[in-house]
């Protein structure tokens, strides 16, 4: 690893620690509303079981998101934002 890349990595780890400690705000924040998941699914005109299958989660997980008992995080939240923005493209990419 090049020393510049290593120094960038160390700096990003330091920033992550500051964000976790509440000393720094994250650069990107995704807001979540439980109705968002249901709205996205209905935009695709698919059932809960089909949507769960498409995005690779269990039906129970999807239902928990839609009912506000749990929140999608990380890659799942990012995927939901992509589906919300470009539903037809996502369906095409997932061969649905």
């Amino acid at each position: 690893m090049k020393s510049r890349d290593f120094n960038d990595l160390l700096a990003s780890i330091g920033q992550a620690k500051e964000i976790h400690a509440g000393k720094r705000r994250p650069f990107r924040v995704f807001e979540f509303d439980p109705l968002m998941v249901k709205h996205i699914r209905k935009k695709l005109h698919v059932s809960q079981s089909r949507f769960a299958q498409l995005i690779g989660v269990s039906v129970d997980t999807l239902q928990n998101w839609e009912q506000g008992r749990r929140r999608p995080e990380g890659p799942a939240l990012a995927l939901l934002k992509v589906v919300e923005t470009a539903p037809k493209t996502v369906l095409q990419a997932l061969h649905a």
Side-chain angles (χ1 to χ4, degrees), residues 15-82:
Q15 292 169 354
K17 285 181 181 179
E18 290 175 0
I19 291 168
H20 184 70
K23 296 177 182 176
R24 175 187 283 251
R25 296 190 62 156
F27 180 70
R28 290 185 295 171
V29 177
F30 293 111
E31 296 296 323
F32 172 74
D33 175 359
L35 293 177
M36 176 185 90
V37 178
K38 190 172 192 175
H39 172 75
I40 292 168
R41 178 176 61 80
K42 290 194 177 248
K43 229 175 168 179
L44 297 177
H45 305 288
V46 294
S47 66
Q48 285 181 334
S49 59
R50 181 69 179 133
F51 189 61
Q53 179 187 17
L54 284 171
I55 64 171
V57 299
S58 71
V59 175
D60 289 339
T61 296
L62 179 63
Q63 289 172 343
N64 283 331
W65 292 346
E66 287 189 0
Q67 294 170 10
R69 291 190 297 260
R70 303 204 80 190
R71 298 173 48 101
E73 297 177 352
L77 185 56
L79 177 59
L80 288 169
K81 293 300 267 181
V82 172

